[in-house]
Amino acid sequence: EAQVTQNPRYLITVTGKKLTVTCSQNMNHEYMSWYRQDPGLGLRQIYYSMNVEVTDKGDVPEGYKVSRKEKRNFPLILESPSPNQTSLYFCASTLRRGYEQYFGPGTRLTVT
Amino acid sequence: AQKITQTQPGMFVQEKEAVTLDCTYDTSDPSYGLFWYKQPSSGEMIFLIYQGSYDQQNATEGRYSLNFQKARKSANLVISASQLGDSAMYFCAMREGRTQGGSEKLVFGKGTKLTVNP
């Protein structure tokens, strides 16, 4: 089944404790992205990647890191999480530009 | 300035009726794409429909159609024959950037919550 998977789905952590949210797609898509969704703000793009080793900032990259060492994986790293990073995070992938983005199920992160 | 504006925080429609969800966008790039996504209460994001800036005809997908008015920079979603399962948040999104070496930066509106009443 073609899909984007994210892990974990739910995470509660404390300020400053480094964490990684994994994202993997099995569709051989070139493009992958991370978004965060906050009430009243819609979805905002954090980072995106156009291919292996090619990444670029979205609209809200501060406090996040990404890497794309393999085509299928695009992990999101929070080196020192803060409470304002409490949010619902989505990973997405798309085959080519202009095509629809397939979203993962989301990761609900709470930073206390 | 907002690139995608959805002016209707909430909309109500009777089952079996049609409903239009508004979306206006702002870009100076001649090459762009417009998307609509549905987010039910379960949280997943479901792709509905896509319109490219150079597409000559309005996009349609089953009960969904996109009323694309380029000069007015609007891309309204029309849902015909509403069903109870259509109750959800709906997001309009835009991709800017030229095809050759362009980015894949997608900008979303804040969404419209649609409620379908029986």
Side-chain angles (χ1 to χ4, degrees):
Chain A
E1 180 190 354
Q3 59 183 352
V4 178
T5 56
Q6 294 178 228
N7 283 292
R9 295 288 312 279
Y10 303 91
L11 179 60
I12 301 173
T13 189
V14 296
T15 299
K17 186 177 181 182
K18 180 179 179 179
L19 66 92
T20 299
V21 184
T22 65
C23 173
S24 183
Q25 49 93 5
N26 62 0
M27 296 169 279
N28 202 35
H29 284 175
E30 289 184 3
Y31 293 89
M32 298 185 74
S33 297
W34 276 103
Y35 298 88
R36 62 177 288 173
Q37 183 179 19
D38 302 291
L41 295 178
L43 282 85
R44 294 177 293 169
Q45 193 173 47
I46 303 170
Y47 269 97
Y48 61 94
S49 169
M50 290 170 278
N51 214 323
V52 175
E53 303 292 1
V54 182
T55 63
D56 204 353
K57 296 177 181 178
D59 290 322
V60 288
E62 295 77 22
Y64 304 94
K65 285 177 60 177
V66 294
S67 68
R68 186 98 180 268
K69 293 183 172 21
E70 303 168 285
K71 197 171 186 178
R72 63 183 293 131
N73 296 323
F74 190 43
L76 179 70
I77 303 158
L78 285 73
E79 299 243 338
S80 183
S82 61
N84 63 15
Q85 293 178 298
T86 293
S87 188
L88 177 60
Y89 290 87
F90 287 100
C91 179
S93 73
T94 185
L95 177 62
R96 285 190 291 274
R97 295 186 70 253
Y99 284 62
E100 70 267 25
Q101 296 206 5
Y102 291 83
F103 281 79
T107 295
R108 189 165 293 280
L109 172 66
T110 301
V111 183
T112 61
Chain B
Q2 282 189 17
K3 296 226 175 204
I4 294 285
T5 303
Q6 294 181 253
T7 57
Q8 308 152 315
M11 286 284 286
F12 294 86
V13 66
Q14 287 298 122
E15 196 177 5
K16 300 180 185 177
E17 292 184 351
V19 63
T20 298
L21 306 183
D22 295 341
C23 173
T24 57
Y25 58 92
D26 182 25
T27 182
S28 58
D29 194 325
S31 174
Y32 54 90
L34 297 156
F35 303 79
W36 277 92
Y37 284 85
K38 172 184 178 181
Q39 186 179 40
S41 58
S42 51
E44 70 268 30
M45 294 290 289
I46 302 168
F47 167 75
L48 296 177
I49 198 166
Y50 168 78
Q51 180 85 43
S53 59
Y54 295 119
D55 292 345
Q56 294 296 312
Q57 294 189 325
N58 287 347
T60 61
E61 289 285 349
R63 294 186 300 110
Y64 304 107
S65 61
L66 203 152
N67 183 2
F68 182 45
Q69 298 188 44
K70 199 169 181 177
R72 297 180 62 183
K73 294 188 175 179
S74 75
N76 299 338
L77 177 70
V78 181
I79 305 175
S80 63
S82 296
Q83 302 172 355
L84 295 178
D86 293 335
S87 293
M89 283 290 289
Y90 288 80
F91 292 97
C92 179
M94 177 175 67
R95 172 195 55 77
E96 290 177 298
R98 301 187 181 276
T99 301
Q100 298 301 323
S103 69
E104 189 59 21
K105 189 172 174 178
L106 208 61
V107 177
F108 282 79
K110 295 183 179 181
T112 295
K113 184 174 182 180
L114 177 66
T115 302
V116 181
N117 294 317

